[in-house]
Amino acid sequence: MVECEVRMGIDLAVKVAAFCRELGDSALADLARSNGLGPLYQHAEQALRAGRIDPQLETQLDALDAMVRRTEGKGLYPSATWRAGYPGQLPGAEAGSGAR
């Protein structure tokens, strides 16, 4: 099997959308408070409500994502790594040719 791994940055709009989905209930706010990030959560929420989407907001969203990833095992937004396995030969390779 051939393994491929590509590191990609996550667009700020994707991060904002993921955070906005969490504003519908208090689960993320409660988790942030219980992990000492309540003020950071509140500041990020206030920034979004005021329309301030900037590098400081991105840093706050990344901190919240890291906290969720650490406590829940997966973060707010999809992983920035795409990994796939290809079971078999690469296109154009001869059967049984191996590395030359």
Side-chain angles (χ1 to χ4, degrees):
M1 180 184 293
V2 177
E3 289 279 330
C4 292
E5 182 172 302
V6 179
R7 296 228 176 252
M8 300 175 284
I10 297 175
D11 187 65
L12 179 55
V14 172
K15 295 176 182 183
V16 168
F19 183 71
C20 287
R21 282 191 301 271
E22 299 295 326
L23 294 177
D25 65 39
S26 65
L28 180 60
D30 294 343
L31 187 62
R33 276 192 294 277
S34 68
N35 283 278
L37 295 180
L40 186 123
Y41 175 92
Q42 290 176 336
H43 190 271
E45 182 180 12
Q46 290 168 355
L48 276 178
R49 293 190 190 284
R52 289 189 317 270
I53 299 175
D54 57 19
Q56 182 180 11
L57 175 63
E58 184 170 22
T59 299
Q60 293 166 340
L61 295 180
D62 288 345
L64 290 168
D65 175 66
M67 181 255 323
V68 172
R69 192 171 305 282
R70 186 178 65 252
T71 59
E72 302 293 317
K74 64 180 188 173
L76 293 176
Y77 27 87
S79 173
T81 300
W82 175 76
R83 177 175 278 240
Y86 180 77
Q89 293 181 271
L90 294 174
E94 294 177 29
S97 64
R100 298 184 191 239

